[in-house]
């Protein structure tokens, strides 16, 4: 059985990336980013958040459905908004009854999202990074603090002396 990528030495990780580059003709920095994308998806979907997460966007079309053959540099996720704004929805399995209510829900979600990312998602991923002794760092980003960035120490960076990041 092959060893997991992150247990390998940095030199062996670099060799794995080079072998993958030779087989796929994709740049090594993108292959390395893909390793981190997959790690992040596993950490999220092995967590208590998984039941209410939906994986969407270009990465899902490529990784899950194999509809497109391109590399996507971010992870697009949706969380069940009824969990974020349970005070407005009662956590019930229903949709907004009117445009006015939908607008109110949208505003509430936008207001709740930064706190949810900071108090739920970031600690969950931080714990996974620490458990696996990975040197990546997490940073809240976006104008509205509604994004989480995973900065990882690149073995094969696109630009020398640079770390890379994955927007979540």
């Amino acid at each position: 059985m092959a060893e997991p990528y992150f247990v390998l030495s940095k030199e062996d990780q670099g060799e794995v990336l080079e072998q993958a580059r030779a087989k796929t003709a994709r740049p090594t920095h993108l292959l390395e980013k893909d390793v981190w994308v997959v790690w992040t998806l596993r950490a999220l979907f092995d967590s208590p958040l998984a039941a209410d997460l939906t994986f969407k966007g270009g990465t899902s079309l490529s990784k899950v459905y194999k509809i497109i053959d391109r590399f996507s540099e971010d992870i697009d996720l949706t969380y069940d908004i009824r969990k974020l704004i349970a005070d407005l929805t009662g956590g019930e399995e229903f949709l907004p009854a009117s445009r006015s209510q939908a607008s109110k829900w949208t505003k509430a979600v936008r207001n709740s999202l930064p706190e949810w990312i900071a108090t739920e998602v970031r600690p969950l991923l931080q714990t996974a990074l620490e458990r696996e002794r990975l040197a990546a760092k997490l940073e809240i980003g976006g104008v509205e603090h509604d994004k989480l960035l995973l900065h990882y120490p690149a073995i094969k960076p696109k630009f020398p002396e640079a770390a890379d990041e994955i927007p979540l």
Side-chain angles (χ1 to χ4, degrees), residues 7-19:
V7 209
L8 300 172
S9 69
K10 301 296 181 203
E11 293 78 21
D12 287 347
Q13 288 177 4
E15 187 176 320
V16 166
L17 293 171
E18 285 300 326
Q19 288 176 10

Side-chain angles (χ1 to χ4, degrees), residues 19-37:
Q19 288 176 10
R21 181 199 55 73
K23 284 186 175 183
T24 64
R26 292 189 185 238
T28 54
H29 72 279
L30 290 183
L31 294 167
E32 184 174 17
K33 183 174 273 196
D34 197 51
V35 168
W36 283 96
V37 164

Side-chain angles (χ1 to χ4, degrees), residues 66-141:
K66 309 257 188 257
I67 293 173
I68 59 174
D69 184 27
R70 70 171 173 88
F71 182 79
S72 185
E73 296 198 24
D74 63 352
I75 300 173
D76 295 321
L77 299 167
T78 298
Y79 189 68
D80 185 344
I81 65 167
R82 294 169 295 202
K83 306 285 174 140
L84 285 176
I85 56 170
D87 56 322
L88 288 178
T89 67
E92 299 295 323
E93 296 292 324
F94 68 90
L95 298 173
S98 66
R99 282 188 167 195
S100 173
Q101 188 180 42
S103 178
K104 185 176 181 180
W105 284 18
T106 299
K107 184 177 180 185
V109 167
R110 285 195 178 125
N111 289 336
S112 299
L113 192 57
E115 181 180 347
W116 178 76
I117 290 169
T119 62
E120 299 291 328
V121 182
R122 185 179 190 173
L124 182 142
L125 288 175
Q126 186 61 49
T127 299
L129 288 167
E130 290 168 4
R131 180 178 54 248
E132 297 184 35
R133 296 186 175 112
L134 300 176
K137 305 286 184 225
L138 296 165
E139 173 192 7
I140 304 272

Side-chain angles (χ1 to χ4, degrees), residues 5 38 61-62 115 120 125 143-144 146 151 162:
Y5 177 82
V38 170
L61 293 175
S62 173
E115 181 180 347
E120 299 291 328
L125 288 175
V143 174
E144 297 179 12
D146 59 350
H151 299 277

